[in-house]
């Protein structure tokens, strides 16, 4: 059994619809249990900035799928949403990335091969991943730094919550 933290994003078309459809697919998948979502937030694009704003969040789940099997599953969900990989960090209907994986003993898995790198190589530098991740793992520490401290190190970054739970502007100093 593995515990996964998966970042989710969309900035094309029915953003919430793509995210909801993928969530429902995982929710009903026989190898997935305890699927939980962070609040969804609206964020500015990262990397390639000439595109629409994103709706982002993080999901956690437990699964009997190993990391490569999970990667195949989430890539299938991206394809079902019509994802096209035309521009690096460009617009997408659905983007699902495995951020963190823990084994049955609660130990973080590190993996690096031609198809998958865990932990995700950019997660620690992305507010749009860390803010929702902090909602699910508020005491998370990586390389000796608490997630709240890392968000502070990255500087002020404003995120508009778009979930039903809140419509307020959240600024992380």
């Amino acid at each position: 059994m593995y515990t996964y933290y998966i970042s989710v994003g969309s900035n094309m078309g029915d953003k919430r619809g793509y995210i909801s459809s993928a969530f429902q697919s995982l929710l009903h998948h026989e190898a997935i249990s305890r699927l939980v979502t962070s609040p969804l937030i609206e964020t500015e694009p990262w990397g390639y900035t000439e595109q629409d704003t994103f709706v982002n969040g993080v999901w956690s789940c437990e699964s009997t799928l190993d990391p490569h099997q999970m990667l195949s599953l989430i890539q299938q969900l991206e394809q079902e949403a019509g994802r096209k990989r035309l521009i690096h960090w460009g617009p997408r209907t659905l983007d699902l990335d495995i951020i963190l994986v823990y084994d049955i003993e609660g130990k973080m898995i590190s993996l690096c091969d031609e198809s998958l790198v865990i932990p995700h190589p950019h997660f620690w530098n992305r507010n749009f991943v860390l803010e929702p991740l902090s909602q699910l793992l508020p005491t998370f520490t990586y390389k000796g730094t608490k997630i709240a401290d890392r968000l502070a190190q990255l500087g002020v970054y404003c995120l508009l919550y778009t979930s039903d739970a809140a419509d307020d502007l959240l600024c992380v100093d």
Side-chain angles (χ1 to χ4, degrees):
M1 183 70 70
Y2 299 92
T3 301
Y4 288 91
Y5 290 87
I6 300 168
S7 68
V8 57
S10 176
N11 79 331
M12 293 177 68
D14 183 7
K15 301 171 193 179
R16 290 175 156 281
Y18 290 124
I19 291 170
S20 178
S21 179
F23 187 86
Q24 290 299 316
S25 292
L26 288 182
L27 189 63
H28 294 100
H29 193 282
E30 63 188 18
I32 305 288
S33 62
R34 299 180 190 230
L35 181 62
V36 177
T37 185
S38 71
L40 297 176
I41 55 176
E42 185 175 330
T43 66
E44 293 298 321
W46 188 91
Y48 176 73
T49 59
E50 299 299 316
Q51 57 185 316
D52 197 8
T53 58
F54 278 81
V55 172
N56 290 107
V58 171
W59 299 337
S60 68
C61 68
E62 291 182 1
S63 180
T64 55
L65 299 175
D66 70 38
H68 287 96
Q69 292 170 322
M70 179 62 79
L71 178 64
S72 293
L73 174 60
I74 64 175
Q75 286 179 338
Q76 176 186 340
L77 295 175
E78 289 175 336
Q79 288 177 344
E80 289 172 4
R83 168 119 188 228
K84 304 279 189 260
R85 296 175 187 269
L86 303 174
I87 301 171
H88 189 56
W89 293 323
R92 63 214 68 172
T93 54
L94 185 64
D95 185 29
L96 300 171
D97 289 322
I98 299 172
I99 301 301
L100 302 168
V101 181
Y102 291 89
D103 66 17
I104 195 164
E105 296 172 358
K107 294 179 185 170
M108 186 186 297
I109 292 175
S110 292
L111 189 144
C112 183
D113 63 32
E114 65 281 345
S115 63
L116 186 57
V117 178
I118 300 172
H120 188 283
H122 301 293
F123 93 98
W124 201 234
N125 296 316
R126 294 177 169 175
N127 297 72
F128 66 87
V129 172
L130 295 180
E131 176 55 37
L133 181 63
S134 75
Q135 301 297 310
L136 298 179
L137 282 176
T139 61
F140 177 69
T141 299
Y142 183 67
K143 296 186 177 181
T145 302
K146 294 178 183 176
I147 195 167
D149 294 337
R150 181 60 182 155
L151 282 163
Q153 289 171 354
L154 291 174
V156 174
Y157 185 80
C158 295
L159 309 167
L160 177 64
Y161 273 89
T162 60
S163 69
D164 295 336
D167 290 325
D168 300 322
L169 190 64
L170 172 70
C171 293
V172 180
D173 292 315

